[in-house]
Amino acid sequence: MKTKRHQIASAAALCVAHALVGVHAQNTPATQALALAAPAEPQAVIVTGTRASNRTQFDTLAPVDVFSREEIAAVESDDLNDVLAQLVPSYVVQRLPMADGQVFVRPATLRGLSPDQTLVLVNGKRFHRSAFLGARGSQAADMAQIPTSGIKRIEVLRDGASAQYGSDAIAGVINIILDDTVGGEINAQHSQYGENDGKTNTVRARYGFAFGDSGKINLFAEASDADPTSRTRQRQDAIDFQAAHPGLQVPNPVQRWGQPELESQRIGYNASIGLGGDTEAYGHGLFGRSEGVSDFNWRNPDTSGSVYNKTTAFPGWDVRSIYPTGFSPQYTNEQDDLQVLAGVRGRFTDALAWDVSASYGRNRIDYGLHNSINASLGPASPTSFDLGRLTQEEKLVNANFNYEWNVAALARPVNVGFGLEYRNERYGVRAGEAASYAVGPGAAFGLDPSANGAPGFSDRQAGRWDQDSYAAYVDVEVPLTERLSVGAALRYEDFSEFGDSVNGKLSARYEFTPDVAVRGSFSTGFRAPTPGQLNTSSTSQGLDTRTLLVFTSGRLSTGDPIAVALGAKPLTPEESDNLSLGLTWKGAMGLSGSVDLYRIELRDRFSTSASFAVPAGMPNPLRYTSVNYFTNDFDTTTQGIDLVANHLSRVADGRLNLTLAYNYNKTRVDDGSTAVASNLTQRTIFEDRLPRQKATVSASYERGAWSALGRMRHYGAWTDSTGNATGDIFQRFGAIRFFDAALSYKLTPKQTLRFGVDNVFDKYPDEAVFQASRGLVYSRNAPYDTDGRNLYLDYTVKF
């Protein structure tokens, strides 16, 4: 089957990157948004969205933001998602407490699109996906696995780039460049919330050194230990239960809403060595491990009859003997993540460069459940369960070439990039222990089967699935005149599971003056369904906010007999048309920036279908209350504007840096089942679940040994939904602003002490009134932190 789309004008990098091109980052206008002021530098050469070796941020044919190491370090978090959420105006990440795997692999969006419609690169090479499939089926890279201690800079291409980089680059490309500088640094940080919870201790270290005549290696590591937070009230049904059973001591609260308890460790390296002449070997490796625990909903003994009812199946046995005051299951996540890459690059001639590399990436997640029970097994049930394992593996081999073609009629060379790529993706599901998904004898008497809270992966759901793809591309940039440059790219890619795709991109840039230019592009793009999305099924449980009863849902593969009977069809790639137009400027007076308009039309978007009851008479061995399946469901149009402005000046013998970063983004559902009135929930979720406006205004001032930072973060209005099995309830939340401040002092030229406060005024959003029945105070779907004021202190020493 032919799909026919995709080309996006930039994509490179998200980790381990300076091994590709040895250039130095700078505090560019778009990137100084949150940095403590650093010395002004000339515009640096960038490597994302272009194959040319001499492009600066101002010269690019598409918008690219560059964030320096200092800017990254100025954000109080070791989670790269939080860092990007504060640096990139259109980047939004949610906390999602008590949302199964989304608590630990948080969905992040660029320009309001799905998490897996943004391509992540490390040192210009594709970074693998997480094994976790999100609530609406997205399977994206988990950037929390990339250690911030090893990052030299981040380049963010805000344009479609599938024609240049392949699948996923619809919203843009995030390229993480790893550090390659000589020297070391150690940072220790402590933070906690104003409610005296969420205490977090983090240690980061990096050391780079040279060896031999031409070798360099950077080693980096970090470890973090975070306590949970709780913004919870006692549930009314728990209060009523305590009143009805005064002889029992009911925990207060019976469950916790907040960030999970989480420990994580990450290590890595970035290395290169000359092999003689123009040839160089290079490579990087990243490894991360984390363990986390999160609460689930409380089971009320008086109302949870499908757990607590006595039956003749188990004479004399009562769940109250184990959990007399009810129970809140504890969901655990153990994750390890690995990425290794090795390559060789060099030059055949002064004009023709080559680069060959191979990489392996793996993400593995083990799930567990404690403080629970499989009621249908009665007294034979354990109270802790191994729920199974998810594994995502990716192998990548590519050969890239770059030719600088001198044409007599042109003042500068034509840059021609071309190459080949092979990629293999494998997805695996290992079944949990039998008790975690068993349908025991009590099920015939109305008792719930499976581990209560999160059923394990069954032997029916277990398996391994592969997909291969082969690609070829050509990418050309032509300087027609001193002021006018044009670009074109074409990429062909063939997938073993569904066929091939052809995508292209056209772009142009015109300089009115050496300091003012206009740029624009049109591209087609695509996102191919993954083996996990094509083949897997899962089981989950939820709580209806009105009935407070647990329901069990099945998300089925499109080949499952139940799904086929309900109308499921094989998945096809999502396809897009991207159009952008922008203006960029820089000036001697210290004022610089850019404004870019964009329009992204997406067809056959990937989501889950509406929920259905299992047809009568059809086998339902896992006892689903309702089922849905992945589908190419609908079309959307996303329109928006990005504005970044920066002013740098000298004030009272110090340096003042003012920055504005603003994004307006609106998505409209055009066609498909989500566009009809009968599926208002899905339409509302896609159009209004995220703020249409997001902005950051910051001011940093440096004088002598002192540095200060003030920042305002603005989030526009958005709509929440309850996710009820019997019909969603919506609540509209208004705009909100948070203020942050930090003060740094250099104890010595190599030692710095910093104190900061995020959310200085301890601002909270409106309470989530429709979720209050289960003890939730603030919406778990909020696109910002809802835990209040956060204070931190850190110490950095360089050597």
Side-chain angles (χ1 to χ4, degrees):
M1 160 195 324
K2 292 206 176 218
T3 58
K4 209 178 180 184
R5 305 267 55 108
H6 219 125
Q7 171 72 22
I8 161 171
S10 143
L14 177 109
C15 195
V16 179
H18 203 276
L20 284 179
V21 176
V23 294
H24 294 285
Q26 100 280 353
N27 291 339
T28 64
T31 67
Q32 289 167 335
L34 298 176
L36 296 175
E41 301 175 18
Q43 290 236 337
V45 174
I46 65 170
V47 297
T48 308
T50 179
R51 310 285 178 181
S53 60
N54 60 351
R55 295 288 185 264
T56 68
Q57 186 180 8
F58 179 72
D59 296 331
T60 57
L61 278 64
V64 179
D65 294 332
V66 184
F67 302 100
S68 69
R69 178 168 47 213
E70 290 76 18
E71 293 172 289
I72 296 166
V75 180
E76 183 281 312
S77 181
D78 67 333
D79 186 334
L80 192 54
N81 283 305
D82 292 328
V83 173
L84 289 169
Q86 293 204 23
L87 294 177
V88 181
S90 64
Y91 192 90
V92 176
V93 62
Q94 297 167 281
R95 281 286 180 193
L96 296 174
M98 207 180 294
D100 296 356
Q102 292 185 106
V103 176
F104 305 103
V105 183
R106 298 159 57 200
T109 65
L110 186 68
R111 290 184 165 176
L113 301 183
S114 295
D116 54 5
Q117 289 169 343
T118 299
L119 178 64
V120 176
L121 306 175
V122 172
N123 284 346
K125 308 291 186 177
R126 180 183 286 264
F127 187 70
H128 60 276
R129 308 175 195 277
S130 167
F132 175 70
L133 275 66
R136 282 176 287 277
S138 66
Q139 188 184 0
D142 181 9
M143 284 190 288
Q145 299 301 322
I146 299 173
T148 58
S149 57
I151 299 175
K152 182 176 183 179
R153 72 178 188 276
I154 300 174
E155 298 179 357
V156 180
L157 170 66
R158 294 181 277 110
D159 194 18
S162 295
Q164 295 168 297
Y165 297 102
S167 177
D168 306 345
I170 291 176
V173 177
I174 299 173
N175 188 10
I176 297 172
I177 311 298
L178 297 181
D179 208 321
D180 65 345
T181 57
V182 173
E185 180 177 310
I186 296 176
N187 171 268
Q189 182 180 87
H190 173 78
S191 67
Q192 69 178 62
Y193 286 91
E195 296 291 328
N196 201 33
D197 61 3
K199 296 178 182 178
T200 302
N201 293 309
T202 304
V203 177
R204 307 178 184 92
R206 180 194 67 83
Y207 183 64
F209 59 92
F211 62 94
D213 293 332
S214 58
K216 289 192 299 184
I217 186 168
N218 254 260
L219 306 175
F220 38 88
E222 58 191 41
S224 177
D225 185 358
D227 290 343
T229 62
S230 180
R231 301 295 176 267
T232 314
R233 293 193 183 103
Q234 182 67 304
R235 291 169 50 141
Q236 184 59 49
D237 59 341
I239 295 173
D240 296 340
F241 179 81
Q242 178 69 85
H245 304 274
L248 298 176
Q249 187 63 43
V250 179
N252 186 5
V254 290
Q255 68 185 64
R256 181 185 57 79
W257 291 95
Q259 299 179 34
E261 177 182 351
L262 186 64
E263 293 184 16
S264 60
Q265 304 85 37
R266 306 182 190 99
I267 59 174
Y269 68 89
N270 186 32
S272 64
I273 185 171
L275 301 179
D278 294 323
T279 305
E280 179 184 53
Y282 64 93
H284 66 257
L286 303 170
F287 178 76
R289 181 169 179 80
S290 62
E291 296 182 24
V293 181
S294 178
D295 277 21
F296 273 3
N297 285 296
W298 179 63
R299 272 58 175 169
N300 186 336
D302 285 352
T303 60
S304 301
S306 58
V307 176
Y308 278 88
N309 283 349
K310 298 178 183 179
T311 73
T312 56
F314 311 114
W317 185 75
D318 189 345
V319 178
R320 288 171 179 81
S321 64
I322 304 174
Y323 301 121
T325 60
F327 62 97
S328 298
Q330 302 286 303
Y331 190 62
T332 66
N333 174 299
E334 295 185 10
Q335 185 170 182
D336 68 68
D337 190 272
L338 173 68
Q339 173 98 16
V340 291
L341 178 142
V344 182
R345 59 186 170 224
R347 288 186 172 275
F348 292 120
T349 67
D350 289 341
L352 180 59
W354 57 272
D355 183 342
V356 178
S357 67
S359 67
Y360 172 78
R362 186 204 67 212
N363 180 261
R364 186 167 61 195
I365 307 175
D366 289 284
Y367 291 113
L369 195 70
H370 305 307
N371 200 48
S372 182
I373 198 165
N374 182 335
S376 71
L377 293 176
S381 173
T383 57
S384 293
F385 301 88
D386 169 15
L387 301 181
R389 170 184 290 176
L390 302 178
T391 303
Q392 169 79 9
E393 295 179 277
E394 298 182 30
K395 301 170 186 174
L396 183 70
V397 178
N398 56 34
N400 300 302
F401 304 89
N402 198 75
Y403 181 63
E404 294 182 354
W405 180 20
N406 288 297
V407 179
L410 301 177
R412 289 175 289 143
V414 175
N415 196 87
V416 183
F418 55 98
L420 303 169
E421 182 176 275
Y422 164 74
R423 181 158 56 102
N424 170 265
E425 286 192 65
R426 170 174 288 183
Y427 195 81
V429 178
R430 176 182 64 76
E433 63 178 291
S436 72
Y437 59 85
V439 180
F445 296 83
L447 294 180
D448 284 337
S450 305
N452 201 277
F457 298 106
S458 73
D459 52 358
R460 295 170 178 266
Q461 297 167 327
R464 295 175 69 132
W465 303 273
D466 283 86
Q467 177 170 267
D468 295 318
S469 66
Y470 301 86
Y473 75 88
V474 60
D475 187 352
V476 181
E477 293 184 26
V478 184
L480 293 178
T481 69
E482 287 293 331
R483 294 188 175 186
L484 176 63
S485 296
V486 297
L490 189 69
R491 186 182 184 96
Y492 171 82
E493 195 151 358
D494 184 76
F495 291 82
S496 60
E497 296 303 299
F498 58 82
D500 56 5
S501 175
V502 177
N503 291 274
K505 182 174 185 175
L506 296 173
S507 53
R509 179 182 180 277
Y510 180 77
E511 281 190 8
F512 293 108
T513 73
D515 294 330
V516 179
V518 65
R519 61 196 177 196
S521 69
F522 173 77
S523 64
T524 62
F526 76 109
R527 193 202 64 80
T530 69
Q533 293 167 335
L534 289 167
N535 298 286
T536 63
S537 299
S538 65
T539 307
S540 62
Q541 291 183 344
L543 185 78
D544 192 294
T545 62
R546 289 182 290 199
T547 66
L548 295 183
L549 297 178
V550 173
F551 58 89
T552 302
S553 301
R555 194 269 302 146
L556 309 178
S557 71
T558 55
D560 186 282
I562 298 177
V564 172
L566 294 171
K569 297 179 181 179
L571 296 175
T572 60
E574 299 173 308
E575 300 179 345
S576 71
D577 290 334
N578 291 53
L579 180 64
S580 69
L581 179 65
L583 179 72
T584 183
W585 65 89
K586 59 184 177 71
M589 301 300 292
L591 181 64
S592 57
S594 63
V595 58
D596 293 275
L597 306 173
Y598 58 88
R599 178 184 175 92
I600 305 169
E601 294 182 357
L602 265 163
R603 294 173 299 283
D604 298 327
R605 284 195 67 168
F606 187 72
S607 184
T608 51
S609 71
S611 294
F612 303 93
V614 177
M618 180 165 287
N620 186 11
L622 296 179
R623 303 297 179 95
Y624 295 127
T625 306
S626 63
V627 296
N628 57 29
Y629 50 83
F630 290 147
T631 179
N632 294 101
D633 195 39
F634 61 108
D635 305 334
T636 62
T637 298
T638 297
Q639 299 180 91
I641 181 172
D642 286 325
L643 170 64
V644 178
N646 176 266
H647 184 260
L648 187 63
S649 60
R650 292 284 178 181
V651 177
D653 296 327
R655 195 177 75 160
L656 176 66
N657 186 28
L658 304 175
T659 301
L660 166 67
Y662 171 81
N663 170 255
Y664 174 82
N665 190 86
K666 179 181 178 180
T667 294
R668 182 186 71 243
V669 175
D670 299 321
D671 194 14
S673 67
T674 59
V676 300
S678 61
N679 206 340
L680 175 63
T681 294
Q682 286 293 321
R683 179 168 186 164
T684 301
I685 287 172
F686 275 94
E687 291 186 343
D688 298 320
R689 66 188 170 90
L690 297 175
R692 291 185 180 176
Q693 298 186 67
K694 183 171 176 274
T696 299
V697 180
S698 68
S700 61
Y701 182 72
E702 180 178 353
R703 182 180 180 184
W706 292 93
S707 298
L709 170 69
R711 175 176 58 224
M712 185 277 288
R713 294 176 283 131
H714 171 85
Y715 296 83
W718 61 285
T719 298
D720 190 20
S721 62
T722 60
N724 286 344
T726 55
D728 254 318
I729 303 172
F730 299 104
Q731 180 179 353
R732 186 71 172 169
F733 290 88
I736 191 170
R737 282 164 293 280
F738 302 101
F739 292 88
D740 310 325
L743 184 66
S744 298
Y745 179 71
K746 289 185 177 180
L747 303 171
T748 71
K750 294 185 178 295
Q751 299 181 73
T752 303
L753 189 66
R754 178 177 62 152
F755 172 72
V757 183
D758 288 345
N759 192 358
V760 172
F761 300 111
D762 203 25
K763 190 74 175 290
Y764 288 89
D766 293 338
E767 295 189 4
V769 295
F770 295 127
Q771 301 277 0
S773 59
R774 47 179 167 174
L776 179 69
V777 180
Y778 307 107
S779 172
R780 67 174 180 171
N781 299 314
Y784 37 72
D785 190 341
T786 60
D787 285 325
R789 181 187 295 120
N790 186 42
L791 302 92
Y792 61 92
L793 179 69
D794 67 38
Y795 168 75
T796 301
V797 58
K798 298 181 179 181
F799 52 91

